[in-house]
Structures are given as structure tokens and as C-alpha cells.
Amino acid sequence: MQEIVLLLKYLFLGLLQGFTEPIPISSSGHLVIVQDLFGTKIADDLSFEVLVNFGSLLAVLTVYHKDLIRLTKNGINYMISRNKEYVDDFMFIVYLIVATVPAGVIGLLFKDQIEHYFGKAYVVGLTLIVTGIALWVIRNLRGVKNEGSLTIKDAIIVGFAQAVALIPGISRSGATIVAAMLVGMKQDTALRFSFLLFIPISLGTGVLSIGDVVSSDDFNTLWIPYTIAFIAAIVATYYSLRWFINVMKRGNLKYFAFYCFIVGTLALFLLRGSM
């Protein structure tokens, strides 16, 4: 019976992380809240987080595989031929690389400190409310910039927004989409830039942590629950991302703002004992 409960717990956590990863309500924040609310703890090391994030990465790669193929092909063609036909895609790759740097550097240097000081349920409540406010501010924005209109400045701003999202409760997708739309990107461009930006940071984290994951005691003893959570994260992220793309097309970001206000307020007042 305990084994079944354990499997169900990791299935739920995988589905939760996977579903909340693409949408602007903070997957890391929800894991903190759920663990605090139900008194359940996942592994103390990063193996679980890395594994389910890698599952989400595979789902994002699947959804955006055509864009990735086009960017790779045209980027290489531009470097070889310098044909202006391919320059927009080449520069889009450059902007993604530039935007990856802030979160990569800050994450490597300060991730442990950030999780120590901000990884509390009541803090997540506050940061979810901040996320909700940001989503409310941009709910009606309709930018004009497409891939060919971006600048290095735009990439840096979105990159620092992704770095801010290292704080649990600050949604990564929410922060990057908000920043992208504030600098004038169209909704579809902001969405594409946000999720293509997720790929290098997630891939880098996974590659750097793979040794720690496979050698950890938690992975060796819980590899079946971990595998279930990994598969659940892939499936949940895929369908959640497809759904969120449709939501963005309809301009319904305000509902995510309402959700963040409600959950953030509940976490702030109901989980004050975590202070």
C-alpha cells in the first residue's frame, strides 16, 4: 500500500510540475506550496527537479521542433553564405544566446542562496501575487515587433526577466513573456522567444547535473517513482503548452493573473506557519 501511495505521489508531482511549467503560474512555486500544504517532501537534492524539468524540455522540443529546425538550418546557411534572406533567423539565435546569459550566470552563482531565502511557502505567496500583477499589466498589450525587429537590448531585458524567475513563485514563462511584451514584441513572437529561451537554460542545467542525478541515493532508490514523474511531466507539459498557445492567441492572460492573485493570497495567509 505504501508503495502505491509513493507512486501516486510522484505521479501527481510530475503532472503538477509538467502542467504548470509552460503556463505563467510558476511550477517551482506550486511544488513548494504543495509540499508545505500536505507535509510531503521530495528528495532533498536536485535530482527530482532536474529530471522533471528535463521531461518538460523534451515536450517543449517536440512542440517547437519545426522552429528549431528552421532556425538551425537558416542560421548555418547565413554563416556560410551571408545571404540576407537568413539574417533574421541567425540574429534570433544570437538574441536567444544573449538572453540565456543572465539566468545562467546568476543561477550558477546564487541558486542555492535564492532557494534558501525565497523557497518558503509564504514567500511564494508574495511572488505569485507579483506575477499576477505583471500579467495584469500586460493583459491588453499588442506589440509590433516580430523576429526581424528585435534588438540586443530586448534580449538582455528578457534575459534578466528570466533570471528574476529563479525566485520560486516568479513564473519563468510569465516573467519572460511579460518582459518581451513590454519591449514591444507581438504575442506570438513573445511566446516563441520565451519557450525557445527555456531550451538552453534547461538543457544546460540538465547536462551539468546529470552526474549528480544518476549517482544520488534518491535516484537509485526511487528510480521507478522518478521515471513515472518524468513521463508524467513530458505528457503534462506537452498538452499544457499547446493549450497555453491557444490561450495566448485569444488574449486571455488576465485569467492567469486572477489565478495568481487567488493562490498567492491563500498561500500567504494559510501557510503563515511556514515563516
PDB file of all heavy atoms in Angstrom, residues 180-210:
ATOM      1  N   ALA A 180       9.015  40.466 -22.665  1.00  0.00           N
ATOM      2  CA  ALA A 180       9.007  40.507 -24.129  1.00  0.00           C
ATOM      3  C   ALA A 180       7.910  41.419 -24.653  1.00  0.00           C
ATOM      4  O   ALA A 180       8.121  42.188 -25.609  1.00  0.00           O
ATOM      5  CB  ALA A 180       8.832  39.092 -24.683  1.00  0.00           C
ATOM      6  N   MET A 181       6.752  41.371 -24.030  1.00  0.00           N
ATOM      7  CA  MET A 181       5.648  42.215 -24.487  1.00  0.00           C
ATOM      8  C   MET A 181       5.846  43.672 -24.074  1.00  0.00           C
ATOM      9  O   MET A 181       5.430  44.586 -24.782  1.00  0.00           O
ATOM     10  CB  MET A 181       4.329  41.650 -23.984  1.00  0.00           C
ATOM     11  CG  MET A 181       4.002  40.291 -24.605  1.00  0.00           C
ATOM     12  SD  MET A 181       2.405  39.610 -24.116  1.00  0.00           S
ATOM     13  CE  MET A 181       1.289  40.784 -24.877  1.00  0.00           C
ATOM     14  N   LEU A 182       6.503  43.888 -22.943  1.00  0.00           N
ATOM     15  CA  LEU A 182       6.781  45.263 -22.529  1.00  0.00           C
ATOM     16  C   LEU A 182       7.780  45.950 -23.461  1.00  0.00           C
ATOM     17  O   LEU A 182       7.739  47.181 -23.609  1.00  0.00           O
ATOM     18  CB  LEU A 182       7.311  45.286 -21.095  1.00  0.00           C
ATOM     19  CG  LEU A 182       6.269  45.055 -19.987  1.00  0.00           C
ATOM     20  CD1 LEU A 182       6.940  44.997 -18.627  1.00  0.00           C
ATOM     21  CD2 LEU A 182       5.197  46.160 -19.996  1.00  0.00           C
ATOM     22  N   VAL A 183       8.678  45.170 -24.081  1.00  0.00           N
ATOM     23  CA  VAL A 183       9.609  45.784 -25.040  1.00  0.00           C
ATOM     24  C   VAL A 183       9.016  45.857 -26.430  1.00  0.00           C
ATOM     25  O   VAL A 183       9.685  46.298 -27.370  1.00  0.00           O
ATOM     26  CB  VAL A 183      10.962  45.026 -25.083  1.00  0.00           C
ATOM     27  CG1 VAL A 183      11.640  45.050 -23.728  1.00  0.00           C
ATOM     28  CG2 VAL A 183      10.806  43.607 -25.605  1.00  0.00           C
ATOM     29  N   GLY A 184       7.746  45.431 -26.573  1.00  0.00           N
ATOM     30  CA  GLY A 184       7.028  45.643 -27.819  1.00  0.00           C
ATOM     31  C   GLY A 184       6.862  44.450 -28.738  1.00  0.00           C
ATOM     32  O   GLY A 184       6.426  44.608 -29.882  1.00  0.00           O
ATOM     33  N   MET A 185       7.187  43.243 -28.267  1.00  0.00           N
ATOM     34  CA  MET A 185       7.021  42.078 -29.132  1.00  0.00           C
ATOM     35  C   MET A 185       5.552  41.733 -29.320  1.00  0.00           C
ATOM     36  O   MET A 185       4.732  41.926 -28.431  1.00  0.00           O
ATOM     37  CB  MET A 185       7.732  40.856 -28.537  1.00  0.00           C
ATOM     38  CG  MET A 185       9.232  40.922 -28.499  1.00  0.00           C
ATOM     39  SD  MET A 185       9.945  39.320 -28.003  1.00  0.00           S
ATOM     40  CE  MET A 185      11.558  39.839 -27.407  1.00  0.00           C
ATOM     41  N   LYS A 186       5.233  41.208 -30.497  1.00  0.00           N
ATOM     42  CA  LYS A 186       3.915  40.639 -30.714  1.00  0.00           C
ATOM     43  C   LYS A 186       3.734  39.422 -29.812  1.00  0.00           C
ATOM     44  O   LYS A 186       4.708  38.810 -29.379  1.00  0.00           O
ATOM     45  CB  LYS A 186       3.750  40.209 -32.178  1.00  0.00           C
ATOM     46  CG  LYS A 186       3.764  41.353 -33.177  1.00  0.00           C
ATOM     47  CD  LYS A 186       3.602  40.820 -34.603  1.00  0.00           C
ATOM     48  CE  LYS A 186       3.573  41.940 -35.618  1.00  0.00           C
ATOM     49  NZ  LYS A 186       3.449  41.420 -37.004  1.00  0.00           N
ATOM     50  N   GLN A 187       2.488  39.063 -29.558  1.00  0.00           N
ATOM     51  CA  GLN A 187       2.240  37.951 -28.643  1.00  0.00           C
ATOM     52  C   GLN A 187       2.865  36.650 -29.122  1.00  0.00           C
ATOM     53  O   GLN A 187       3.472  35.921 -28.332  1.00  0.00           O
ATOM     54  CB  GLN A 187       0.731  37.766 -28.442  1.00  0.00           C
ATOM     55  CG  GLN A 187       0.098  38.804 -27.527  1.00  0.00           C
ATOM     56  CD  GLN A 187      -1.321  38.423 -27.128  1.00  0.00           C
ATOM     57  OE1 GLN A 187      -1.963  37.613 -27.780  1.00  0.00           O
ATOM     58  NE2 GLN A 187      -1.818  39.030 -26.070  1.00  0.00           N
ATOM     59  N   ASP A 188       2.737  36.341 -30.409  1.00  0.00           N
ATOM     60  CA  ASP A 188       3.295  35.080 -30.892  1.00  0.00           C
ATOM     61  C   ASP A 188       4.820  35.093 -30.862  1.00  0.00           C
ATOM     62  O   ASP A 188       5.460  34.081 -30.570  1.00  0.00           O
ATOM     63  CB  ASP A 188       2.782  34.754 -32.298  1.00  0.00           C
ATOM     64  CG  ASP A 188       3.132  35.826 -33.315  1.00  0.00           C
ATOM     65  OD1 ASP A 188       3.358  36.985 -32.912  1.00  0.00           O
ATOM     66  OD2 ASP A 188       3.187  35.499 -34.514  1.00  0.00           O
ATOM     67  N   THR A 189       5.420  36.264 -31.131  1.00  0.00           N
ATOM     68  CA  THR A 189       6.875  36.385 -31.046  1.00  0.00           C
ATOM     69  C   THR A 189       7.348  36.249 -29.608  1.00  0.00           C
ATOM     70  O   THR A 189       8.340  35.565 -29.331  1.00  0.00           O
ATOM     71  CB  THR A 189       7.339  37.739 -31.614  1.00  0.00           C
ATOM     72  OG1 THR A 189       6.879  37.876 -32.957  1.00  0.00           O
ATOM     73  CG2 THR A 189       8.851  37.864 -31.583  1.00  0.00           C
ATOM     74  N   ALA A 190       6.632  36.893 -28.678  1.00  0.00           N
ATOM     75  CA  ALA A 190       6.981  36.794 -27.262  1.00  0.00           C
ATOM     76  C   ALA A 190       6.894  35.354 -26.774  1.00  0.00           C
ATOM     77  O   ALA A 190       7.754  34.868 -26.032  1.00  0.00           O
ATOM     78  CB  ALA A 190       6.048  37.686 -26.433  1.00  0.00           C
ATOM     79  N   LEU A 191       5.843  34.656 -27.195  1.00  0.00           N
ATOM     80  CA  LEU A 191       5.649  33.268 -26.796  1.00  0.00           C
ATOM     81  C   LEU A 191       6.776  32.387 -27.337  1.00  0.00           C
ATOM     82  O   LEU A 191       7.353  31.572 -26.601  1.00  0.00           O
ATOM     83  CB  LEU A 191       4.300  32.775 -27.307  1.00  0.00           C
ATOM     84  CG  LEU A 191       3.777  31.452 -26.764  1.00  0.00           C
ATOM     85  CD1 LEU A 191       3.462  31.565 -25.288  1.00  0.00           C
ATOM     86  CD2 LEU A 191       2.535  31.022 -27.534  1.00  0.00           C
ATOM     87  N   ARG A 192       7.094  32.556 -28.601  1.00  0.00           N
ATOM     88  CA  ARG A 192       8.143  31.747 -29.221  1.00  0.00           C
ATOM     89  C   ARG A 192       9.501  32.034 -28.580  1.00  0.00           C
ATOM     90  O   ARG A 192      10.266  31.110 -28.265  1.00  0.00           O
ATOM     91  CB  ARG A 192       8.202  32.018 -30.722  1.00  0.00           C
ATOM     92  CG  ARG A 192       9.109  31.078 -31.487  1.00  0.00           C
ATOM     93  CD  ARG A 192       9.075  31.353 -32.981  1.00  0.00           C
ATOM     94  NE  ARG A 192       7.735  31.211 -33.528  1.00  0.00           N
ATOM     95  CZ  ARG A 192       6.962  32.208 -33.924  1.00  0.00           C
ATOM     96  NH1 ARG A 192       7.402  33.453 -33.843  1.00  0.00           N
ATOM     97  NH2 ARG A 192       5.760  32.001 -34.411  1.00  0.00           N
ATOM     98  N   PHE A 193       9.798  33.299 -28.363  1.00  0.00           N
ATOM     99  CA  PHE A 193      11.076  33.667 -27.757  1.00  0.00           C
ATOM    100  C   PHE A 193      11.178  33.092 -26.350  1.00  0.00           C
ATOM    101  O   PHE A 193      12.223  32.565 -25.951  1.00  0.00           O
ATOM    102  CB  PHE A 193      11.227  35.187 -27.714  1.00  0.00           C
ATOM    103  CG  PHE A 193      12.631  35.649 -27.418  1.00  0.00           C
ATOM    104  CD1 PHE A 193      13.539  35.833 -28.445  1.00  0.00           C
ATOM    105  CD2 PHE A 193      13.041  35.891 -26.124  1.00  0.00           C
ATOM    106  CE1 PHE A 193      14.842  36.255 -28.192  1.00  0.00           C
ATOM    107  CE2 PHE A 193      14.334  36.300 -25.849  1.00  0.00           C
ATOM    108  CZ  PHE A 193      15.243  36.493 -26.882  1.00  0.00           C
ATOM    109  N   SER A 194      10.096  33.162 -25.586  1.00  0.00           N
ATOM    110  CA  SER A 194      10.089  32.668 -24.211  1.00  0.00           C
ATOM    111  C   SER A 194      10.396  31.180 -24.147  1.00  0.00           C
ATOM    112  O   SER A 194      11.234  30.743 -23.345  1.00  0.00           O
ATOM    113  CB  SER A 194       8.729  32.955 -23.560  1.00  0.00           C
ATOM    114  OG  SER A 194       8.641  32.328 -22.294  1.00  0.00           O
ATOM    115  N   PHE A 195       9.740  30.389 -24.975  1.00  0.00           N
ATOM    116  CA  PHE A 195       9.903  28.939 -24.860  1.00  0.00           C
ATOM    117  C   PHE A 195      11.151  28.426 -25.561  1.00  0.00           C
ATOM    118  O   PHE A 195      11.719  27.408 -25.130  1.00  0.00           O
ATOM    119  CB  PHE A 195       8.637  28.230 -25.333  1.00  0.00           C
ATOM    120  CG  PHE A 195       7.538  28.337 -24.323  1.00  0.00           C
ATOM    121  CD1 PHE A 195       6.481  29.207 -24.521  1.00  0.00           C
ATOM    122  CD2 PHE A 195       7.585  27.602 -23.157  1.00  0.00           C
ATOM    123  CE1 PHE A 195       5.481  29.340 -23.570  1.00  0.00           C
ATOM    124  CE2 PHE A 195       6.595  27.722 -22.199  1.00  0.00           C
ATOM    125  CZ  PHE A 195       5.538  28.589 -22.408  1.00  0.00           C
ATOM    126  N   LEU A 196      11.609  29.107 -26.601  1.00  0.00           N
ATOM    127  CA  LEU A 196      12.898  28.736 -27.161  1.00  0.00           C
ATOM    128  C   LEU A 196      14.020  29.115 -26.192  1.00  0.00           C
ATOM    129  O   LEU A 196      15.057  28.443 -26.138  1.00  0.00           O
ATOM    130  CB  LEU A 196      13.104  29.406 -28.522  1.00  0.00           C
ATOM    131  CG  LEU A 196      12.193  28.906 -29.646  1.00  0.00           C
ATOM    132  CD1 LEU A 196      12.474  29.658 -30.945  1.00  0.00           C
ATOM    133  CD2 LEU A 196      12.340  27.403 -29.860  1.00  0.00           C
ATOM    134  N   LEU A 197      13.791  30.153 -25.396  1.00  0.00           N
ATOM    135  CA  LEU A 197      14.759  30.556 -24.379  1.00  0.00           C
ATOM    136  C   LEU A 197      14.827  29.544 -23.242  1.00  0.00           C
ATOM    137  O   LEU A 197      15.856  29.405 -22.569  1.00  0.00           O
ATOM    138  CB  LEU A 197      14.385  31.937 -23.843  1.00  0.00           C
ATOM    139  CG  LEU A 197      15.338  32.611 -22.849  1.00  0.00           C
ATOM    140  CD1 LEU A 197      16.722  32.772 -23.459  1.00  0.00           C
ATOM    141  CD2 LEU A 197      14.774  33.974 -22.439  1.00  0.00           C
ATOM    142  N   PHE A 198      13.734  28.840 -23.019  1.00  0.00           N
ATOM    143  CA  PHE A 198      13.703  27.795 -21.985  1.00  0.00           C
ATOM    144  C   PHE A 198      14.649  26.648 -22.327  1.00  0.00           C
ATOM    145  O   PHE A 198      15.210  26.003 -21.436  1.00  0.00           O
ATOM    146  CB  PHE A 198      12.273  27.264 -21.843  1.00  0.00           C
ATOM    147  CG  PHE A 198      12.137  26.038 -20.978  1.00  0.00           C
ATOM    148  CD1 PHE A 198      12.203  26.134 -19.602  1.00  0.00           C
ATOM    149  CD2 PHE A 198      11.932  24.784 -21.543  1.00  0.00           C
ATOM    150  CE1 PHE A 198      12.069  25.011 -18.798  1.00  0.00           C
ATOM    151  CE2 PHE A 198      11.801  23.657 -20.763  1.00  0.00           C
ATOM    152  CZ  PHE A 198      11.865  23.773 -19.376  1.00  0.00           C
ATOM    153  N   ILE A 199      14.856  26.400 -23.614  1.00  0.00           N
ATOM    154  CA  ILE A 199      15.616  25.227 -24.050  1.00  0.00           C
ATOM    155  C   ILE A 199      17.075  25.263 -23.603  1.00  0.00           C
ATOM    156  O   ILE A 199      17.549  24.315 -22.960  1.00  0.00           O
ATOM    157  CB  ILE A 199      15.500  25.048 -25.574  1.00  0.00           C
ATOM    158  CG1 ILE A 199      14.046  24.707 -25.939  1.00  0.00           C
ATOM    159  CG2 ILE A 199      16.446  23.957 -26.071  1.00  0.00           C
ATOM    160  CD1 ILE A 199      13.768  24.708 -27.432  1.00  0.00           C
ATOM    161  N   PRO A 200      17.850  26.329 -23.901  1.00  0.00           N
ATOM    162  CA  PRO A 200      19.265  26.293 -23.500  1.00  0.00           C
ATOM    163  C   PRO A 200      19.477  26.290 -21.994  1.00  0.00           C
ATOM    164  O   PRO A 200      20.372  25.597 -21.497  1.00  0.00           O
ATOM    165  CB  PRO A 200      19.850  27.564 -24.141  1.00  0.00           C
ATOM    166  CG  PRO A 200      18.679  28.437 -24.432  1.00  0.00           C
ATOM    167  CD  PRO A 200      17.536  27.524 -24.699  1.00  0.00           C
ATOM    168  N   ILE A 201      18.652  27.031 -21.244  1.00  0.00           N
ATOM    169  CA  ILE A 201      18.844  27.082 -19.790  1.00  0.00           C
ATOM    170  C   ILE A 201      18.493  25.747 -19.156  1.00  0.00           C
ATOM    171  O   ILE A 201      19.166  25.264 -18.248  1.00  0.00           O
ATOM    172  CB  ILE A 201      18.017  28.232 -19.161  1.00  0.00           C
ATOM    173  CG1 ILE A 201      18.553  28.594 -17.782  1.00  0.00           C
ATOM    174  CG2 ILE A 201      16.552  27.903 -19.083  1.00  0.00           C
ATOM    175  CD1 ILE A 201      19.851  29.340 -17.802  1.00  0.00           C
ATOM    176  N   SER A 202      17.450  25.099 -19.663  1.00  0.00           N
ATOM    177  CA  SER A 202      17.052  23.795 -19.131  1.00  0.00           C
ATOM    178  C   SER A 202      18.039  22.714 -19.551  1.00  0.00           C
ATOM    179  O   SER A 202      18.411  21.845 -18.755  1.00  0.00           O
ATOM    180  CB  SER A 202      15.647  23.444 -19.618  1.00  0.00           C
ATOM    181  OG  SER A 202      15.237  22.194 -19.104  1.00  0.00           O
ATOM    182  N   LEU A 203      18.471  22.776 -20.801  1.00  0.00           N
ATOM    183  CA  LEU A 203      19.435  21.801 -21.302  1.00  0.00           C
ATOM    184  C   LEU A 203      20.760  21.925 -20.555  1.00  0.00           C
ATOM    185  O   LEU A 203      21.373  20.913 -20.174  1.00  0.00           O
ATOM    186  CB  LEU A 203      19.651  22.004 -22.798  1.00  0.00           C
ATOM    187  CG  LEU A 203      20.548  20.996 -23.512  1.00  0.00           C
ATOM    188  CD1 LEU A 203      19.952  19.598 -23.403  1.00  0.00           C
ATOM    189  CD2 LEU A 203      20.724  21.383 -24.977  1.00  0.00           C
ATOM    190  N   GLY A 204      21.197  23.161 -20.332  1.00  0.00           N
ATOM    191  CA  GLY A 204      22.446  23.380 -19.610  1.00  0.00           C
ATOM    192  C   GLY A 204      22.382  22.850 -18.190  1.00  0.00           C
ATOM    193  O   GLY A 204      23.318  22.194 -17.712  1.00  0.00           O
ATOM    194  N   THR A 205      21.259  23.117 -17.511  1.00  0.00           N
ATOM    195  CA  THR A 205      21.084  22.613 -16.148  1.00  0.00           C
ATOM    196  C   THR A 205      21.094  21.093 -16.119  1.00  0.00           C
ATOM    197  O   THR A 205      21.715  20.474 -15.247  1.00  0.00           O
ATOM    198  CB  THR A 205      19.759  23.131 -15.562  1.00  0.00           C
ATOM    199  OG1 THR A 205      19.773  24.557 -15.545  1.00  0.00           O
ATOM    200  CG2 THR A 205      19.559  22.625 -14.141  1.00  0.00           C
ATOM    201  N   GLY A 206      20.410  20.495 -17.093  1.00  0.00           N
ATOM    202  CA  GLY A 206      20.349  19.035 -17.148  1.00  0.00           C
ATOM    203  C   GLY A 206      21.706  18.407 -17.391  1.00  0.00           C
ATOM    204  O   GLY A 206      22.084  17.435 -16.729  1.00  0.00           O
ATOM    205  N   VAL A 207      22.467  18.975 -18.332  1.00  0.00           N
ATOM    206  CA  VAL A 207      23.789  18.427 -18.662  1.00  0.00           C
ATOM    207  C   VAL A 207      24.737  18.556 -17.468  1.00  0.00           C
ATOM    208  O   VAL A 207      25.473  17.613 -17.125  1.00  0.00           O
ATOM    209  CB  VAL A 207      24.377  19.141 -19.893  1.00  0.00           C
ATOM    210  CG1 VAL A 207      25.844  18.755 -20.088  1.00  0.00           C
ATOM    211  CG2 VAL A 207      23.567  18.787 -21.129  1.00  0.00           C
ATOM    212  N   LEU A 208      24.722  19.719 -16.810  1.00  0.00           N
ATOM    213  CA  LEU A 208      25.611  19.937 -15.676  1.00  0.00           C
ATOM    214  C   LEU A 208      25.257  19.072 -14.470  1.00  0.00           C
ATOM    215  O   LEU A 208      26.104  18.763 -13.640  1.00  0.00           O
ATOM    216  CB  LEU A 208      25.581  21.421 -15.264  1.00  0.00           C
ATOM    217  CG  LEU A 208      26.200  22.414 -16.249  1.00  0.00           C
ATOM    218  CD1 LEU A 208      25.975  23.847 -15.782  1.00  0.00           C
ATOM    219  CD2 LEU A 208      27.710  22.145 -16.396  1.00  0.00           C
ATOM    220  N   SER A 209      23.979  18.673 -14.378  1.00  0.00           N
ATOM    221  CA  SER A 209      23.510  17.953 -13.194  1.00  0.00           C
ATOM    222  C   SER A 209      23.338  16.458 -13.405  1.00  0.00           C
ATOM    223  O   SER A 209      23.006  15.744 -12.460  1.00  0.00           O
ATOM    224  CB  SER A 209      22.166  18.544 -12.730  1.00  0.00           C
ATOM    225  OG  SER A 209      22.251  19.925 -12.516  1.00  0.00           O
ATOM    226  N   ILE A 210      23.549  15.974 -14.637  1.00  0.00           N
ATOM    227  CA  ILE A 210      23.253  14.574 -14.925  1.00  0.00           C
ATOM    228  C   ILE A 210      24.062  13.620 -14.054  1.00  0.00           C
ATOM    229  O   ILE A 210      23.564  12.587 -13.599  1.00  0.00           O
ATOM    230  CB  ILE A 210      23.484  14.271 -16.429  1.00  0.00           C
ATOM    231  CG1 ILE A 210      22.987  12.860 -16.768  1.00  0.00           C
ATOM    232  CG2 ILE A 210      24.948  14.446 -16.791  1.00  0.00           C
ATOM    233  CD1 ILE A 210      21.511  12.687 -16.642  1.00  0.00           C
TER     234      ILE A 210
END
